[in-house]
PDB file of all heavy atoms in Angstrom:
ATOM      1  N   VAL A   1       0.824  -1.148   0.064  1.00  0.00           N
ATOM      2  CA  VAL A   1       0.023   0.036  -0.044  1.00  0.00           C
ATOM      3  C   VAL A   1       0.928   1.192  -0.083  1.00  0.00           C
ATOM      4  O   VAL A   1       1.789   1.438   0.863  1.00  0.00           O
ATOM      5  CB  VAL A   1      -0.932   0.030   1.230  1.00  0.00           C
ATOM      6  CG1 VAL A   1      -1.792   1.281   1.219  1.00  0.00           C
ATOM      7  CG2 VAL A   1      -1.865  -1.175   1.203  1.00  0.00           C
ATOM      8  N   SER A   2       0.694   2.125  -0.996  1.00  0.00           N
ATOM      9  CA  SER A   2       1.458   3.268  -1.107  1.00  0.00           C
ATOM     10  C   SER A   2       0.691   4.613  -0.904  1.00  0.00           C
ATOM     11  O   SER A   2       1.234   5.728  -0.798  1.00  0.00           O
ATOM     12  CB  SER A   2       2.166   3.421  -2.463  1.00  0.00           C
ATOM     13  OG  SER A   2       1.294   3.349  -3.526  1.00  0.00           O
ATOM     14  N   ALA A   3      -0.711   4.460  -0.859  1.00  0.00           N
ATOM     15  CA  ALA A   3      -1.626   5.627  -0.802  1.00  0.00           C
ATOM     16  C   ALA A   3      -2.890   5.214  -0.156  1.00  0.00           C
ATOM     17  O   ALA A   3      -3.229   4.053  -0.121  1.00  0.00           O
ATOM     18  CB  ALA A   3      -1.769   6.418  -2.047  1.00  0.00           C
ATOM     19  N   LEU A   4      -3.574   6.124   0.508  1.00  0.00           N
ATOM     20  CA  LEU A   4      -4.971   5.833   1.183  1.00  0.00           C
ATOM     21  C   LEU A   4      -5.925   6.742   0.602  1.00  0.00           C
ATOM     22  O   LEU A   4      -5.753   7.779   0.069  1.00  0.00           O
ATOM     23  CB  LEU A   4      -4.802   6.083   2.615  1.00  0.00           C
ATOM     24  CG  LEU A   4      -3.744   5.111   3.419  1.00  0.00           C
ATOM     25  CD1 LEU A   4      -3.626   5.775   4.834  1.00  0.00           C
ATOM     26  CD2 LEU A   4      -4.118   3.781   3.429  1.00  0.00           C
ATOM     27  N   ALA A   5      -7.163   6.096   0.560  1.00  0.00           N
ATOM     28  CA  ALA A   5      -8.424   7.028   0.157  1.00  0.00           C
ATOM     29  C   ALA A   5      -9.460   6.484   1.109  1.00  0.00           C
ATOM     30  O   ALA A   5      -9.327   5.619   1.997  1.00  0.00           O
ATOM     31  CB  ALA A   5      -8.745   6.710  -1.275  1.00  0.00           C
ATOM     32  N   TYR A   6     -10.582   7.259   1.018  1.00  0.00           N
ATOM     33  CA  TYR A   6     -11.767   6.901   2.019  1.00  0.00           C
ATOM     34  C   TYR A   6     -13.073   7.039   1.217  1.00  0.00           C
ATOM     35  O   TYR A   6     -13.174   7.961   0.468  1.00  0.00           O
ATOM     36  CB  TYR A   6     -11.693   7.920   3.245  1.00  0.00           C
ATOM     37  CG  TYR A   6     -12.721   7.461   4.220  1.00  0.00           C
ATOM     38  CD1 TYR A   6     -12.308   6.498   5.099  1.00  0.00           C
ATOM     39  CD2 TYR A   6     -13.972   8.056   4.351  1.00  0.00           C
ATOM     40  CE1 TYR A   6     -13.232   6.187   6.219  1.00  0.00           C
ATOM     41  CE2 TYR A   6     -14.835   7.682   5.277  1.00  0.00           C
ATOM     42  CZ  TYR A   6     -14.449   6.690   6.265  1.00  0.00           C
ATOM     43  OH  TYR A   6     -15.387   6.334   7.180  1.00  0.00           O
ATOM     44  N   ASP A   7     -13.849   6.164   1.338  1.00  0.00           N
ATOM     45  CA  ASP A   7     -15.167   6.085   0.777  1.00  0.00           C
ATOM     46  C   ASP A   7     -16.232   5.980   1.941  1.00  0.00           C
ATOM     47  O   ASP A   7     -16.197   5.207   2.793  1.00  0.00           O
ATOM     48  CB  ASP A   7     -15.248   4.839  -0.180  1.00  0.00           C
ATOM     49  CG  ASP A   7     -16.678   5.000  -0.928  1.00  0.00           C
ATOM     50  OD1 ASP A   7     -17.641   4.829  -0.348  1.00  0.00           O
ATOM     51  OD2 ASP A   7     -16.572   5.146  -2.142  1.00  0.00           O
ATOM     52  N   ASP A   8     -17.195   6.903   1.839  1.00  0.00           N
ATOM     53  CA  ASP A   8     -18.317   6.960   2.764  1.00  0.00           C
ATOM     54  C   ASP A   8     -19.027   5.663   2.945  1.00  0.00           C
ATOM     55  O   ASP A   8     -19.684   5.316   3.964  1.00  0.00           O
ATOM     56  CB  ASP A   8     -19.212   8.057   2.597  1.00  0.00           C
ATOM     57  CG  ASP A   8     -18.589   9.382   2.900  1.00  0.00           C
ATOM     58  OD1 ASP A   8     -17.706   9.542   3.747  1.00  0.00           O
ATOM     59  OD2 ASP A   8     -18.994  10.453   2.379  1.00  0.00           O
ATOM     60  N   TYR A   9     -19.042   4.910   1.934  1.00  0.00           N
ATOM     61  CA  TYR A   9     -19.880   3.683   1.888  1.00  0.00           C
ATOM     62  C   TYR A   9     -19.075   2.425   2.235  1.00  0.00           C
ATOM     63  O   TYR A   9     -19.594   1.522   2.855  1.00  0.00           O
ATOM     64  CB  TYR A   9     -20.582   3.516   0.517  1.00  0.00           C
ATOM     65  CG  TYR A   9     -21.524   4.590   0.258  1.00  0.00           C
ATOM     66  CD1 TYR A   9     -21.127   5.590  -0.623  1.00  0.00           C
ATOM     67  CD2 TYR A   9     -22.846   4.591   0.733  1.00  0.00           C
ATOM     68  CE1 TYR A   9     -21.956   6.664  -0.974  1.00  0.00           C
ATOM     69  CE2 TYR A   9     -23.706   5.600   0.567  1.00  0.00           C
ATOM     70  CZ  TYR A   9     -23.303   6.682  -0.379  1.00  0.00           C
ATOM     71  OH  TYR A   9     -24.187   7.638  -0.544  1.00  0.00           O
ATOM     72  N   ILE A  10     -17.830   2.377   1.713  1.00  0.00           N
ATOM     73  CA  ILE A  10     -17.084   1.147   1.895  1.00  0.00           C
ATOM     74  C   ILE A  10     -15.833   1.386   2.828  1.00  0.00           C
ATOM     75  O   ILE A  10     -15.038   0.444   3.087  1.00  0.00           O
ATOM     76  CB  ILE A  10     -16.563   0.502   0.661  1.00  0.00           C
ATOM     77  CG1 ILE A  10     -15.819   1.399  -0.249  1.00  0.00           C
ATOM     78  CG2 ILE A  10     -17.765  -0.126  -0.101  1.00  0.00           C
ATOM     79  CD1 ILE A  10     -15.468   0.844  -1.658  1.00  0.00           C
ATOM     80  N   GLY A  11     -15.638   2.628   3.381  1.00  0.00           N
ATOM     81  CA  GLY A  11     -14.623   2.800   4.416  1.00  0.00           C
ATOM     82  C   GLY A  11     -13.164   3.026   3.798  1.00  0.00           C
ATOM     83  O   GLY A  11     -13.055   3.575   2.625  1.00  0.00           O
ATOM     84  N   ARG A  12     -12.260   2.704   4.522  1.00  0.00           N
ATOM     85  CA  ARG A  12     -10.824   2.985   4.280  1.00  0.00           C
ATOM     86  C   ARG A  12     -10.394   2.155   3.018  1.00  0.00           C
ATOM     87  O   ARG A  12     -10.645   0.965   2.904  1.00  0.00           O
ATOM     88  CB  ARG A  12      -9.944   2.859   5.364  1.00  0.00           C
ATOM     89  CG  ARG A  12      -8.496   3.462   5.212  1.00  0.00           C
ATOM     90  CD  ARG A  12      -7.832   3.453   6.664  1.00  0.00           C
ATOM     91  NE  ARG A  12      -6.664   4.185   6.704  1.00  0.00           N
ATOM     92  CZ  ARG A  12      -5.961   4.426   7.666  1.00  0.00           C
ATOM     93  NH1 ARG A  12      -6.338   3.896   8.845  1.00  0.00           N
ATOM     94  NH2 ARG A  12      -4.766   5.179   7.579  1.00  0.00           N
ATOM     95  N   LEU A  13      -9.658   2.797   2.111  1.00  0.00           N
ATOM     96  CA  LEU A  13      -9.213   2.094   0.905  1.00  0.00           C
ATOM     97  C   LEU A  13      -7.680   2.147   0.808  1.00  0.00           C
ATOM     98  O   LEU A  13      -7.048   3.196   1.145  1.00  0.00           O
ATOM     99  CB  LEU A  13      -9.742   2.670  -0.408  1.00  0.00           C
ATOM    100  CG  LEU A  13     -11.361   2.733  -0.310  1.00  0.00           C
ATOM    101  CD1 LEU A  13     -11.771   3.668  -1.546  1.00  0.00           C
ATOM    102  CD2 LEU A  13     -11.953   1.425  -0.679  1.00  0.00           C
ATOM    103  N   GLY A  14      -7.117   1.093   0.458  1.00  0.00           N
ATOM    104  CA  GLY A  14      -5.582   1.033   0.259  1.00  0.00           C
ATOM    105  C   GLY A  14      -5.295   0.933  -1.236  1.00  0.00           C
ATOM    106  O   GLY A  14      -5.960   0.270  -1.934  1.00  0.00           O
ATOM    107  N   ILE A  15      -4.319   1.853  -1.583  1.00  0.00           N
ATOM    108  CA  ILE A  15      -3.963   1.932  -3.106  1.00  0.00           C
ATOM    109  C   ILE A  15      -2.440   1.532  -3.149  1.00  0.00           C
ATOM    110  O   ILE A  15      -1.623   2.003  -2.408  1.00  0.00           O
ATOM    111  CB  ILE A  15      -4.185   3.366  -3.613  1.00  0.00           C
ATOM    112  CG1 ILE A  15      -5.673   3.819  -3.505  1.00  0.00           C
ATOM    113  CG2 ILE A  15      -3.776   3.465  -5.038  1.00  0.00           C
ATOM    114  CD1 ILE A  15      -5.907   5.277  -3.664  1.00  0.00           C
ATOM    115  N   GLY A  16      -2.137   0.666  -4.085  1.00  0.00           N
ATOM    116  CA  GLY A  16      -0.816   0.298  -4.229  1.00  0.00           C
ATOM    117  C   GLY A  16      -0.613  -0.599  -5.424  1.00  0.00           C
ATOM    118  O   GLY A  16      -1.568  -0.816  -6.208  1.00  0.00           O
ATOM    119  N   ARG A  17       0.467  -1.235  -5.567  1.00  0.00           N
ATOM    120  CA  ARG A  17       0.967  -2.056  -6.708  1.00  0.00           C
ATOM    121  C   ARG A  17       0.969  -3.533  -6.330  1.00  0.00           C
ATOM    122  O   ARG A  17       1.462  -3.891  -5.267  1.00  0.00           O
ATOM    123  CB  ARG A  17       2.139  -1.574  -7.327  1.00  0.00           C
ATOM    124  CG  ARG A  17       2.495  -2.362  -8.598  1.00  0.00           C
ATOM    125  CD  ARG A  17       3.811  -1.780  -9.353  1.00  0.00           C
ATOM    126  NE  ARG A  17       3.676  -2.107 -10.752  1.00  0.00           N
ATOM    127  CZ  ARG A  17       4.649  -1.611 -11.654  1.00  0.00           C
ATOM    128  NH1 ARG A  17       5.569  -0.889 -11.228  1.00  0.00           N
ATOM    129  NH2 ARG A  17       4.428  -1.924 -12.859  1.00  0.00           N
ATOM    130  N   VAL A  18       0.470  -4.430  -7.134  1.00  0.00           N
ATOM    131  CA  VAL A  18       0.638  -5.837  -6.922  1.00  0.00           C
ATOM    132  C   VAL A  18       2.004  -6.160  -7.556  1.00  0.00           C
ATOM    133  O   VAL A  18       2.206  -6.090  -8.666  1.00  0.00           O
ATOM    134  CB  VAL A  18      -0.476  -6.720  -7.626  1.00  0.00           C
ATOM    135  CG1 VAL A  18      -0.237  -8.178  -7.273  1.00  0.00           C
ATOM    136  CG2 VAL A  18      -1.729  -6.276  -7.136  1.00  0.00           C
ATOM    137  N   TYR A  19       2.943  -6.613  -6.748  1.00  0.00           N
ATOM    138  CA  TYR A  19       4.443  -6.811  -7.179  1.00  0.00           C
ATOM    139  C   TYR A  19       4.589  -8.254  -7.575  1.00  0.00           C
ATOM    140  O   TYR A  19       5.312  -8.531  -8.462  1.00  0.00           O
ATOM    141  CB  TYR A  19       5.410  -6.409  -6.122  1.00  0.00           C
ATOM    142  CG  TYR A  19       5.490  -4.897  -5.786  1.00  0.00           C
ATOM    143  CD1 TYR A  19       4.707  -4.230  -5.005  1.00  0.00           C
ATOM    144  CD2 TYR A  19       6.400  -4.203  -6.643  1.00  0.00           C
ATOM    145  CE1 TYR A  19       4.776  -2.883  -4.809  1.00  0.00           C
ATOM    146  CE2 TYR A  19       6.430  -2.856  -6.447  1.00  0.00           C
ATOM    147  CZ  TYR A  19       5.693  -2.167  -5.568  1.00  0.00           C
ATOM    148  OH  TYR A  19       5.816  -0.880  -5.456  1.00  0.00           O
ATOM    149  N   LYS A  20       3.883  -9.156  -6.941  1.00  0.00           N
ATOM    150  CA  LYS A  20       3.986 -10.552  -7.255  1.00  0.00           C
ATOM    151  C   LYS A  20       2.583 -11.290  -7.185  1.00  0.00           C
ATOM    152  O   LYS A  20       1.808 -10.823  -6.356  1.00  0.00           O
ATOM    153  CB  LYS A  20       5.044 -11.314  -6.309  1.00  0.00           C
ATOM    154  CG  LYS A  20       6.457 -10.885  -6.430  1.00  0.00           C
ATOM    155  CD  LYS A  20       7.253 -11.721  -5.484  1.00  0.00           C
ATOM    156  CE  LYS A  20       8.759 -11.162  -5.358  1.00  0.00           C
ATOM    157  NZ  LYS A  20       9.410 -11.950  -4.449  1.00  0.00           N
ATOM    158  N   GLY A  21       2.448 -12.335  -7.896  1.00  0.00           N
ATOM    159  CA  GLY A  21       1.306 -13.217  -7.747  1.00  0.00           C
ATOM    160  C   GLY A  21       0.042 -12.512  -8.267  1.00  0.00           C
ATOM    161  O   GLY A  21       0.025 -11.555  -9.079  1.00  0.00           O
ATOM    162  N   THR A  22      -1.136 -12.817  -7.784  1.00  0.00           N
ATOM    163  CA  THR A  22      -2.403 -12.254  -8.130  1.00  0.00           C
ATOM    164  C   THR A  22      -3.207 -11.985  -6.862  1.00  0.00           C
ATOM    165  O   THR A  22      -3.086 -12.714  -5.843  1.00  0.00           O
ATOM    166  CB  THR A  22      -3.228 -13.192  -9.041  1.00  0.00           C
ATOM    167  OG1 THR A  22      -3.454 -14.464  -8.353  1.00  0.00           O
ATOM    168  CG2 THR A  22      -2.567 -13.407 -10.348  1.00  0.00           C
ATOM    169  N   LEU A  23      -3.988 -10.931  -6.907  1.00  0.00           N
ATOM    170  CA  LEU A  23      -4.848 -10.530  -5.727  1.00  0.00           C
ATOM    171  C   LEU A  23      -6.240 -10.808  -6.076  1.00  0.00           C
ATOM    172  O   LEU A  23      -6.675 -10.445  -7.105  1.00  0.00           O
ATOM    173  CB  LEU A  23      -4.622  -9.085  -5.463  1.00  0.00           C
ATOM    174  CG  LEU A  23      -5.426  -8.433  -4.294  1.00  0.00           C
ATOM    175  CD1 LEU A  23      -5.050  -9.037  -2.958  1.00  0.00           C
ATOM    176  CD2 LEU A  23      -5.265  -6.971  -4.269  1.00  0.00           C
ATOM    177  N   LYS A  24      -6.982 -11.481  -5.079  1.00  0.00           N
ATOM    178  CA  LYS A  24      -8.307 -11.944  -5.396  1.00  0.00           C
ATOM    179  C   LYS A  24      -9.248 -11.188  -4.383  1.00  0.00           C
ATOM    180  O   LYS A  24      -9.002 -10.952  -3.272  1.00  0.00           O
ATOM    181  CB  LYS A  24      -8.452 -13.444  -5.187  1.00  0.00           C
ATOM    182  CG  LYS A  24      -7.561 -14.248  -6.198  1.00  0.00           C
ATOM    183  CD  LYS A  24      -7.736 -15.704  -6.082  1.00  0.00           C
ATOM    184  CE  LYS A  24      -7.038 -16.451  -7.049  1.00  0.00           C
ATOM    185  NZ  LYS A  24      -6.968 -17.920  -6.931  1.00  0.00           N
ATOM    186  N   ALA A  25     -10.385 -10.928  -4.948  1.00  0.00           N
ATOM    187  CA  ALA A  25     -11.482 -10.264  -4.090  1.00  0.00           C
ATOM    188  C   ALA A  25     -11.941 -11.348  -3.166  1.00  0.00           C
ATOM    189  O   ALA A  25     -11.947 -12.456  -3.196  1.00  0.00           O
ATOM    190  CB  ALA A  25     -12.718  -9.853  -4.914  1.00  0.00           C
ATOM    191  N   ALA A  26     -12.512 -10.820  -1.872  1.00  0.00           N
ATOM    192  CA  ALA A  26     -13.063 -11.624  -0.863  1.00  0.00           C
ATOM    193  C   ALA A  26     -12.058 -12.741  -0.407  1.00  0.00           C
ATOM    194  O   ALA A  26     -12.523 -13.835  -0.292  1.00  0.00           O
ATOM    195  CB  ALA A  26     -14.390 -12.093  -1.258  1.00  0.00           C
ATOM    196  N   SER A  27     -10.775 -12.495  -0.234  1.00  0.00           N
ATOM    197  CA  SER A  27      -9.782 -13.451   0.034  1.00  0.00           C
ATOM    198  C   SER A  27      -9.120 -13.188   1.369  1.00  0.00           C
ATOM    199  O   SER A  27      -8.918 -11.983   1.759  1.00  0.00           O
ATOM    200  CB  SER A  27      -8.771 -13.672  -1.055  1.00  0.00           C
ATOM    201  OG  SER A  27      -8.013 -12.463  -1.167  1.00  0.00           O
ATOM    202  N   GLN A  28      -8.721 -14.135   2.128  1.00  0.00           N
ATOM    203  CA  GLN A  28      -8.027 -13.975   3.426  1.00  0.00           C
ATOM    204  C   GLN A  28      -6.511 -13.671   3.013  1.00  0.00           C
ATOM    205  O   GLN A  28      -5.959 -14.404   2.172  1.00  0.00           O
ATOM    206  CB  GLN A  28      -8.068 -15.361   4.195  1.00  0.00           C
ATOM    207  CG  GLN A  28      -9.431 -15.616   4.702  1.00  0.00           C
ATOM    208  CD  GLN A  28      -9.946 -14.745   5.831  1.00  0.00           C
ATOM    209  OE1 GLN A  28      -9.194 -14.095   6.553  1.00  0.00           O
ATOM    210  NE2 GLN A  28     -11.284 -14.635   5.983  1.00  0.00           N
ATOM    211  N   VAL A  29      -6.030 -12.686   3.745  1.00  0.00           N
ATOM    212  CA  VAL A  29      -4.568 -12.272   3.486  1.00  0.00           C
ATOM    213  C   VAL A  29      -3.849 -12.059   4.780  1.00  0.00           C
ATOM    214  O   VAL A  29      -4.551 -11.853   5.839  1.00  0.00           O
ATOM    215  CB  VAL A  29      -4.443 -11.017   2.642  1.00  0.00           C
ATOM    216  CG1 VAL A  29      -4.873 -11.329   1.163  1.00  0.00           C
ATOM    217  CG2 VAL A  29      -5.160  -9.907   3.276  1.00  0.00           C
ATOM    218  N   THR A  30      -2.449 -12.145   4.819  1.00  0.00           N
ATOM    219  CA  THR A  30      -1.812 -11.718   5.890  1.00  0.00           C
ATOM    220  C   THR A  30      -1.207 -10.292   5.643  1.00  0.00           C
ATOM    221  O   THR A  30      -0.753  -9.976   4.548  1.00  0.00           O
ATOM    222  CB  THR A  30      -0.602 -12.659   6.134  1.00  0.00           C
ATOM    223  OG1 THR A  30      -1.126 -13.901   6.670  1.00  0.00           O
ATOM    224  CG2 THR A  30       0.395 -11.989   7.312  1.00  0.00           C
ATOM    225  N   VAL A  31      -1.467  -9.259   6.496  1.00  0.00           N
ATOM    226  CA  VAL A  31      -0.974  -7.899   6.451  1.00  0.00           C
ATOM    227  C   VAL A  31       0.234  -7.750   7.276  1.00  0.00           C
ATOM    228  O   VAL A  31       0.202  -7.923   8.429  1.00  0.00           O
ATOM    229  CB  VAL A  31      -2.019  -6.987   6.755  1.00  0.00           C
ATOM    230  CG1 VAL A  31      -1.579  -5.500   6.555  1.00  0.00           C
ATOM    231  CG2 VAL A  31      -3.364  -7.099   5.855  1.00  0.00           C
ATOM    232  N   ALA A  32       1.494  -7.478   6.637  1.00  0.00           N
ATOM    233  CA  ALA A  32       2.760  -7.326   7.341  1.00  0.00           C
ATOM    234  C   ALA A  32       3.372  -6.024   6.968  1.00  0.00           C
ATOM    235  O   ALA A  32       3.117  -5.475   5.917  1.00  0.00           O
ATOM    236  CB  ALA A  32       3.571  -8.497   6.996  1.00  0.00           C
ATOM    237  N   ASN A  33       4.182  -5.492   7.901  1.00  0.00           N
ATOM    238  CA  ASN A  33       5.003  -4.302   7.524  1.00  0.00           C
ATOM    239  C   ASN A  33       6.395  -4.575   7.956  1.00  0.00           C
ATOM    240  O   ASN A  33       6.723  -5.527   8.727  1.00  0.00           O
ATOM    241  CB  ASN A  33       4.392  -2.989   8.141  1.00  0.00           C
ATOM    242  CG  ASN A  33       4.253  -3.037   9.640  1.00  0.00           C
ATOM    243  OD1 ASN A  33       5.222  -3.573  10.309  1.00  0.00           O
ATOM    244  ND2 ASN A  33       3.277  -2.457  10.231  1.00  0.00           N
ATOM    245  N   ALA A  34       7.277  -3.620   7.729  1.00  0.00           N
ATOM    246  CA  ALA A  34       8.733  -3.803   7.805  1.00  0.00           C
ATOM    247  C   ALA A  34       9.119  -3.700   9.358  1.00  0.00           C
ATOM    248  O   ALA A  34      10.104  -4.047   9.699  1.00  0.00           O
ATOM    249  CB  ALA A  34       9.500  -2.777   7.049  1.00  0.00           C
ATOM    250  N   ASN A  35       8.197  -3.221  10.097  1.00  0.00           N
ATOM    251  CA  ASN A  35       8.459  -3.061  11.651  1.00  0.00           C
ATOM    252  C   ASN A  35       8.111  -4.423  12.324  1.00  0.00           C
ATOM    253  O   ASN A  35       8.396  -4.491  13.580  1.00  0.00           O
ATOM    254  CB  ASN A  35       7.532  -1.982  12.265  1.00  0.00           C
ATOM    255  CG  ASN A  35       7.777  -0.614  11.642  1.00  0.00           C
ATOM    256  OD1 ASN A  35       8.933  -0.287  11.268  1.00  0.00           O
ATOM    257  ND2 ASN A  35       6.792   0.250  11.411  1.00  0.00           N
ATOM    258  N   GLY A  36       7.698  -5.428  11.570  1.00  0.00           N
ATOM    259  CA  GLY A  36       7.538  -6.728  12.190  1.00  0.00           C
ATOM    260  C   GLY A  36       6.073  -7.012  12.645  1.00  0.00           C
ATOM    261  O   GLY A  36       5.765  -7.950  13.216  1.00  0.00           O
ATOM    262  N   THR A  37       5.149  -6.020  12.415  1.00  0.00           N
ATOM    263  CA  THR A  37       3.754  -6.212  12.788  1.00  0.00           C
ATOM    264  C   THR A  37       3.102  -7.135  11.802  1.00  0.00           C
ATOM    265  O   THR A  37       3.267  -6.949  10.520  1.00  0.00           O
ATOM    266  CB  THR A  37       3.006  -4.933  12.902  1.00  0.00           C
ATOM    267  OG1 THR A  37       3.675  -4.080  13.751  1.00  0.00           O
ATOM    268  CG2 THR A  37       1.672  -5.031  13.299  1.00  0.00           C
ATOM    269  N   VAL A  38       2.442  -8.152  12.203  1.00  0.00           N
ATOM    270  CA  VAL A  38       1.624  -9.044  11.288  1.00  0.00           C
ATOM    271  C   VAL A  38       0.218  -9.289  11.780  1.00  0.00           C
ATOM    272  O   VAL A  38       0.048  -9.531  13.059  1.00  0.00           O
ATOM    273  CB  VAL A  38       2.506 -10.507  11.258  1.00  0.00           C
ATOM    274  CG1 VAL A  38       1.701 -11.443  10.433  1.00  0.00           C
ATOM    275  CG2 VAL A  38       3.884 -10.245  10.759  1.00  0.00           C
ATOM    276  N   LYS A  39      -0.655  -9.232  10.946  1.00  0.00           N
ATOM    277  CA  LYS A  39      -2.017  -9.476  11.314  1.00  0.00           C
ATOM    278  C   LYS A  39      -2.774 -10.114  10.147  1.00  0.00           C
ATOM    279  O   LYS A  39      -2.284  -9.914   8.984  1.00  0.00           O
ATOM    280  CB  LYS A  39      -2.787  -8.193  11.723  1.00  0.00           C
ATOM    281  CG  LYS A  39      -2.816  -7.151  10.720  1.00  0.00           C
ATOM    282  CD  LYS A  39      -3.015  -5.868  11.314  1.00  0.00           C
ATOM    283  CE  LYS A  39      -2.915  -4.702  10.185  1.00  0.00           C
ATOM    284  NZ  LYS A  39      -2.709  -3.340  10.597  1.00  0.00           N
ATOM    285  N   ASN A  40      -3.869 -10.788  10.427  1.00  0.00           N
ATOM    286  CA  ASN A  40      -4.646 -11.294   9.225  1.00  0.00           C
ATOM    287  C   ASN A  40      -5.874 -10.397   8.889  1.00  0.00           C
ATOM    288  O   ASN A  40      -6.411  -9.664   9.809  1.00  0.00           O
ATOM    289  CB  ASN A  40      -5.165 -12.642   9.602  1.00  0.00           C
ATOM    290  CG  ASN A  40      -4.027 -13.769   9.658  1.00  0.00           C
ATOM    291  OD1 ASN A  40      -2.866 -13.501   8.978  1.00  0.00           O
ATOM    292  ND2 ASN A  40      -4.215 -14.771  10.328  1.00  0.00           N
ATOM    293  N   GLY A  41      -6.270 -10.452   7.686  1.00  0.00           N
ATOM    294  CA  GLY A  41      -7.429  -9.662   7.288  1.00  0.00           C
ATOM    295  C   GLY A  41      -8.095 -10.237   6.096  1.00  0.00           C
ATOM    296  O   GLY A  41      -7.592 -11.370   5.490  1.00  0.00           O
ATOM    297  N   LYS A  42      -9.077  -9.609   5.659  1.00  0.00           N
ATOM    298  CA  LYS A  42      -9.858 -10.183   4.441  1.00  0.00           C
ATOM    299  C   LYS A  42     -10.155  -8.989   3.516  1.00  0.00           C
ATOM    300  O   LYS A  42     -10.776  -7.965   3.881  1.00  0.00           O
ATOM    301  CB  LYS A  42     -11.139 -10.828   4.844  1.00  0.00           C
ATOM    302  CG  LYS A  42     -11.859 -11.492   3.717  1.00  0.00           C
ATOM    303  CD  LYS A  42     -13.168 -12.078   4.181  1.00  0.00           C
ATOM    304  CE  LYS A  42     -14.007 -12.609   2.931  1.00  0.00           C
ATOM    305  NZ  LYS A  42     -15.252 -13.214   3.317  1.00  0.00           N
ATOM    306  N   THR A  43      -9.736  -9.190   2.264  1.00  0.00           N
ATOM    307  CA  THR A  43     -10.074  -8.239   1.283  1.00  0.00           C
ATOM    308  C   THR A  43     -11.563  -8.272   0.964  1.00  0.00           C
ATOM    309  O   THR A  43     -12.144  -9.390   1.009  1.00  0.00           O
ATOM    310  CB  THR A  43      -9.361  -8.404  -0.110  1.00  0.00           C
ATOM    311  OG1 THR A  43      -9.684  -9.570  -0.656  1.00  0.00           O
ATOM    312  CG2 THR A  43      -7.824  -8.243   0.187  1.00  0.00           C
TER     313      THR A  43
END
């Protein structure tokens, strides 16, 4: 994620580039950052 947006209906939006693989709608993912924080979420 390199930028953020907000929609009154669907909430916070993440904008960025898919560097590897493919991203699927309504899929479980792990969200990680360089500081070592890891959590699970669902697109």
Side-chain angles (χ1 to χ4, degrees):
V1 175
S2 56
L4 298 172
Y6 190 83
D7 186 290
D8 289 335
Y9 297 101
I10 55 179
R12 195 169 191 172
L13 302 167
I15 303 169
R17 188 175 204 174
V18 181
Y19 289 89
K20 293 180 185 177
T22 59
L23 177 67
K24 296 180 180 177
S27 61
Q28 295 288 336
V29 292
T30 290
V31 182
N33 62 36
N35 300 324
T37 305
V38 177
K39 62 198 173 200
N40 290 338
K42 183 182 177 183
T43 62

